[in-house]
Amino acid sequence: MRPTPPPRPAAPPHGWVQALAVVLATAVAMGVVAALGLWAAGAADLPDGAFPRVVAATVVTAVGGTVELTGSAGGLASSDAELTVIPLSVTLTGALVLAAGFLRPLRHRAVAGGEELAGWAGRIAGLWVLTMLALSFGARQTFTLSLGDLGEDALGDLGDLFGIEPKVGFTTDVAPSVVFGTLWLLGVLALALLVARGAPLPARLLRFQESVRPAAYAMVVLLLAYVVLGVVIGLVVAATRGHVAETFAVLLLGLPNLVWLALTIGLGATWNGRVEGPFGLPMPHVLDEVLRGRDVSEVNLRTLAEQDGRVWWLLVVDAVLLLAAAVVMARRSPARVRPWQHALHMAVALALTVLMICLVGRISARYGLSILGIGDLGGGLAGDLFLRPEIWGALGLALLWGLVTGFLGGLLARRLRHRGEVPSATTPGAQRAEDG
């Protein structure tokens, strides 16, 4: 009888083909969301077939890439342009698809070696670098503007007299875009391992999962809850108040920018900003009313409530959702974790979440044109928009809210059965002794 030959080693469930599928799915999902949002915003009418390049630029900025605006107006004029904004709807779509694809081959396992995880992540990262290079080189375009089209006949005559044709465009700084895009990808992969309860970790990191994973999961649930709430409100607004295209443009490009801003404002945080010129904030209109003017304005509960008293509901929504997130965190934690420990975990996690929102939620846009050294010619030729947070105040408030809601959430979840636990058959006295 012949000996049975040893079984052939199974092909790894996460090789180059699977990595390519993950990268392509991520890029396609982000491109589709960006294209639909830009189409709703009217970008499909851009000249010279620029729409695909604008989509590529949007995807690049969504992962932290650098897209620089360029401008020229001939020898007798000069122009200046700047735009800094992250379309977080596109970012969130890519992060969810990437995380799902990364975790799929690792499911149903308790432990994975560090070398295996690094190899799987490295394959995805290598292909993602090539994707970022392709997108960065494709995101370049220049447009020619007519002064008369901006609404001032005198400016059009002046442009014809001096032969002035303002040109604006965009180009991608390739190296920073690739670097920041790769850092974004690695951050998403690391967060996916932290959040997913069924994702395997190297043995040496298992001791950290009890304190880190429940808090990370609770913060992701909190952020997604705000996005879902924003989608519901946006759909209601589109159905009842019109402006369907503009509303869907906001939903598909910048919904997290708005709802996560609302989260920080509900905590009591203050943002500073200004809107001047042709720029505007499409939704909600109350932001535009507070920010528009020549002076820097504060955006917080007080200033917004002066325009619309319903803004105080942000405080209530924050309290309810934060407490719910704290209960979720406590239920996913071991029963031996005390309420004061839940408070510390929640405070640190919420502070880090608010810091992330403050860093990615900044907005800055500027365009100006001067002729013969004369600036601010009117006619929509100059504008300035910016919105930036008071970070330290926001972090302090996040720590305070985290401590309070984390402690209360730990108390509320104490009598609830924790996931994976079996009800104890001990006597009440023994149970009190164990709790003590």
Side-chain angles (χ1 to χ4, degrees):
M1 184 174 180
R2 292 184 181 179
T4 304
R8 251 183 222 182
H14 40 67
W16 285 103
V17 175
Q18 290 81 2
L20 179 61
V22 172
V23 170
L24 287 179
T26 302
V28 169
M30 297 178 74
V32 169
V33 173
L36 290 175
L38 291 169
W39 173 77
D45 298 329
L46 291 172
D48 303 326
F51 185 68
R53 297 181 179 89
V54 176
V55 173
T58 303
V59 174
V60 170
T61 58
V63 297
T66 303
V67 174
E68 297 179 351
L69 296 184
T70 59
S72 63
L76 299 177
S78 62
S79 62
D80 181 34
E82 175 187 337
L83 176 64
T84 302
V85 62
I86 299 177
L88 290 179
S89 293
V90 182
T91 306
L92 181 61
T93 300
L96 293 176
V97 174
L98 175 63
F102 174 69
L103 293 175
R104 181 176 175 79
L106 303 175
R107 66 192 188 282
H108 307 314
R109 298 172 56 186
V111 180
E115 184 178 349
E116 178 190 1
L117 291 175
W120 175 221
R123 293 183 185 95
I124 295 176
L127 294 173
W128 182 252
V129 168
L130 298 178
T131 303
M132 287 298 300
L133 285 171
L135 290 171
S136 298
F137 282 114
R140 299 165 185 264
Q141 183 72 29
T142 301
F143 308 95
T144 300
L145 302 178
S146 171
L147 295 181
D149 293 339
L150 295 174
E152 293 287 343
D153 293 335
L155 289 174
D157 295 338
L158 187 62
D160 294 337
L161 175 64
F162 290 105
I164 297 171
E165 289 186 336
K167 295 182 179 180
V168 295
F170 58 89
T171 184
T172 305
D173 200 343
V174 176
S177 297
V178 172
V179 170
F180 286 112
T182 304
L183 291 176
W184 170 84
L185 177 131
L186 296 177
V188 171
L189 299 185
L191 184 61
L193 286 175
L194 285 178
V195 171
R197 191 184 186 101
L201 289 175
R204 68 181 64 180
L205 297 180
L206 290 176
R207 65 181 182 273
F208 297 110
Q209 66 178 350
E210 291 185 352
S211 59
V212 175
R213 270 188 167 168
Y217 178 83
M219 291 301 101
V220 171
V221 169
L222 176 68
L223 293 177
L224 292 180
Y226 270 90
V227 171
V228 172
L229 184 60
V231 169
V232 173
I233 294 175
L235 293 177
V236 171
V237 169
T240 59
R241 299 187 182 181
H243 307 289
V244 176
E246 292 85 350
T247 301
F248 273 93
V250 173
L251 293 178
L252 292 167
L253 293 175
L255 178 62
N257 299 70
L258 293 174
V259 295
W260 294 347
L261 169 68
L263 188 161
T264 63
I265 291 176
L267 296 177
T270 295
W271 292 62
N272 298 314
R274 180 178 61 186
V275 175
E276 183 181 7
F279 298 118
L281 298 174
M283 188 179 76
H285 184 63
V286 64
L287 272 179
D288 192 84
E289 292 179 344
V290 171
L291 292 174
R292 187 164 295 280
R294 292 186 175 273
D295 298 326
V296 177
S297 302
E298 291 185 346
V299 179
N300 51 38
L301 284 173
R302 177 183 57 81
T303 58
L304 292 174
E306 291 175 355
Q307 304 294 329
D308 190 338
R310 292 173 297 179
V311 170
W312 287 110
W313 280 102
L314 293 178
L315 181 65
V316 178
V317 172
D318 267 17
V320 172
L321 292 183
L322 284 173
L323 185 58
V327 172
V328 169
M329 181 191 69
R331 290 200 62 188
R332 293 176 71 92
S333 302
R336 62 179 178 275
V337 179
R338 304 303 185 199
W340 66 267
Q341 293 174 308
H342 290 307
L344 292 178
H345 296 165
M346 184 73 178
V348 173
L350 184 59
L352 292 175
T353 301
V354 168
L355 177 61
M356 180 274 296
I357 295 172
C358 291
L359 294 178
V360 304
R362 298 165 178 255
I363 300 174
S364 176
R366 184 180 73 251
Y367 179 74
L369 174 68
S370 61
I371 300 177
L372 298 175
I374 304 173
D376 193 16
L377 293 174
L381 294 179
D384 185 29
L385 180 153
F386 70 89
L387 185 64
R388 54 176 178 255
E390 295 183 2
I391 293 182
W392 293 112
L395 293 181
L397 289 165
L399 288 171
L400 180 60
W401 275 85
L403 288 172
V404 174
T405 56
F407 186 82
L408 293 177
L411 292 178
L412 290 174
R414 224 172 163 185
R415 297 299 179 185
L416 300 176
R417 184 188 305 174
H418 289 243
R419 185 171 179 176
E421 288 186 342
V422 178
S424 174
T426 57
T427 62
Q431 181 64 46
R432 285 194 299 270
E434 182 181 350
D435 291 341

